[in-house]
Every structure is written in structure tokens, then in C-alpha cells.
């Protein structure tokens, strides 16, 4: 008869310390990259003992996944608010431009290449976000009798996110050539259909 060892005691996932570790994980990933996100570095950033990382998270993979899930949970709440807007196309564009932490998003995307759980969560989040945004865009198109020409709501949702993300990433690296013109182009187009 095989005996399953008792599961070790874990800290509460919603505790102040757990959130302190998740905040520290985001800061380390944003400033130093996902490869720097070790238990030692995160504990140091959080001002805590390294052992606490493993009291609250069984593995570093669990910590990294929890950090991403917390971000996506918050983002989906914001997306629901955007979708309820009277002019979701403009609201989505403005929100992606003001709320996307492009450096951190790109670090999570890079991590997803090596971490199955993060990759699954990235795909789940992106599909849900795109679906919610496309539904809101379709509603605005129907309610206002808009003509998007060859753009489907899904295509427009993709373009709004991708453009805002790339603009944010380039700006984080100090590259801004053409950004003002791209934003003017999107603002002009959204004003015409909104």
C-alpha cells in the first residue's frame, strides 16, 4: 500500500506577505528580466527571508505563475469595465496605451517560452481579452451602424492591443521614432468610426 506524504503547510495565498512576494517578483522581472527572478533575489527585493518564498509558494514556477495570474485577473476586471463603455473602441485604445506595463508583459511572454503554466495562462488571458474586446467592438459597430470596412471586431481588437504593446515596449527601450504619428493615425481612425 502506497502512502502519500502529507502536504506541507503553506501560507495563505492572499496574505500581505504573499502579495509582497508577488510585487517583488514583478519588480525584479520588470527591471532585471525573468531570468533574475530567483527565490533569493525576490526575497531580497521584498525585504524578507528566502525561506518565506517556499512557505507561500511550493516552487518558483508556482510563484511566477501566481504573479502572472494576479495580473491577468486584475486586467480582466478592467476589460469588463472597458467593454461596458458607450464607446468601447476608444476606451480600449486609451486603456491599452495607459495601463499596459510593456516591459513586464514582454518578460512574461519570454517566460512563457520556457514555462508551460505561464504559456497556458498567457493564451487563456489573451483569448479571453480578445473575445471580450471583440464583443464590445461588435456591439458598438451594431449600435452605431459603423462601417469598419475590411476590419472585423477581432482584427481591430488584435491591432489595438498589439500596437499599444509595441509602442510601450519601444518607449521603455527609449525608441520613439514614429510613435506620435502612429498614435495620431489610430486616434484619427477611431474618431471617424466612433
Amino acid at each position: 500500500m502506497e502512502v502519500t506524504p502529507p502536504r506541507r503547510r503553506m501560507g495563505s495565498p492572499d496574505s500581505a506577505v504573499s502579495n509582497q512576494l508577488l510585487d517583488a517578483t514583478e519588480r525584479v522581472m520588470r527591471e532585471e528580466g525573468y531570468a533574475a527572478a530567483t527565490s533569493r533575489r525576490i526575497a531580497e527585493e521584498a525585504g524578507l527571508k528566502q525561506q518565506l518564498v517556499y512557505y507561500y509558494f511550493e516552487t518558483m514556477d508556482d510563484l511566477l505563475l501566481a504573479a502572472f495570474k494576479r495580473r491577468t485577473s486584475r486586467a480582466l476586471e478592467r476589460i469588463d469595465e472597458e467593454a461596458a463603455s458607450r464607446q468601447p473602441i476608444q476606451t480600449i485604445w486609451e486603456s491599452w496605451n495607459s495601463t499596459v506595463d510593456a516591459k513586464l508583459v514582454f518578460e512574461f511572454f519570454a517566460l512563457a517560452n520556457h514555462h508551460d503554466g505561464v504559456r497556458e495562462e498567457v493564451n487563456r488571458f489573451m483569448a479571453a481579452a480578445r473575445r471580450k474586446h471583440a464583443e464590445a467592438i461588435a456591439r458598438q459597430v451594431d449600435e452605431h451602424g459603423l462601417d469598419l470596412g475590411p476590419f472585423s471586431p477581432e482584427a481591430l481588437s488584435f491591432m489595438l492591443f498589439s500596437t499599444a504593446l509595441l509602442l510601450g515596449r519601444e518607449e521603455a527601450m527609449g525608441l520613439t521614432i514614429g510613435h506620435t504619428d502612429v498614435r495620431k493615425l489610430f486616434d484619427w481612425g477611431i474618431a471617424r468610426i466612433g
Side-chain angles (χ1 to χ4, degrees):
M1 178 171 147
E2 189 174 320
V3 177
T4 305
R7 191 174 160 111
R8 68 182 172 88
R9 186 169 178 263
M10 302 289 296
S12 169
D14 292 327
S15 72
V17 173
S18 175
N19 279 299
Q20 197 174 342
L21 290 167
L22 295 173
D23 291 342
T25 300
E26 288 185 8
R27 287 192 302 274
V28 168
M29 287 181 67
R30 181 183 303 108
E31 299 306 319
E32 301 170 37
Y34 79 86
T38 64
S39 61
R40 181 178 308 235
R41 180 66 190 99
I42 290 168
E44 178 185 300
E45 179 68 24
L48 300 168
K49 295 188 182 297
Q50 184 180 4
Q51 296 87 336
L52 284 174
V53 172
Y54 296 108
Y55 177 70
Y56 285 92
F57 303 94
E58 281 195 62
T59 66
M60 281 302 298
D61 284 349
D62 292 338
L63 171 59
L64 295 168
L65 183 57
F68 189 71
K69 282 185 173 183
R70 183 178 72 160
R71 288 196 69 76
T72 59
S73 175
R74 291 174 177 172
L76 287 173
E77 288 175 11
R78 189 188 72 247
I79 287 168
D80 285 339
E81 292 172 11
E82 295 164 8
S85 165
R86 287 184 35 79
Q87 292 187 308
I89 297 171
Q90 181 175 356
T91 303
I92 292 165
W93 173 243
E94 290 170 358
S95 177
W96 280 134
N97 275 285
S98 64
T99 63
V100 170
D101 185 340
K103 284 178 78 173
L104 188 56
V105 169
F106 272 91
E107 286 302 321
F108 275 117
F109 282 5
L111 176 61
N113 288 321
H114 311 285
H115 188 296
D116 291 340
V118 172
R119 181 173 38 256
E120 290 170 11
E121 188 64 18
V122 165
N123 289 338
R124 185 195 69 76
F125 168 72
M126 293 303 298
R130 195 161 302 154
R131 185 172 44 255
K132 288 172 183 270
H133 279 155
E135 289 169 0
I137 291 167
R139 188 191 78 240
Q140 182 177 352
V141 167
D142 290 344
E143 287 176 1
H144 299 279
L146 302 175
D147 178 10
L148 295 181
F151 293 104
S152 68
E154 290 80 7
L156 187 52
S157 171
F158 175 85
M159 290 180 62
L160 293 171
F161 171 74
S162 299
T163 303
L165 182 64
L166 189 54
L167 289 170
R169 181 62 183 140
E170 285 190 359
E171 287 167 3
M173 295 187 314
L175 177 61
T176 60
I177 297 169
H179 288 206
T180 300
D181 294 337
V182 169
R183 284 199 168 89
K184 282 181 184 176
L185 175 63
F186 270 75
D187 290 342
W188 175 85
I190 289 169
R192 299 262 175 303
I193 61 176

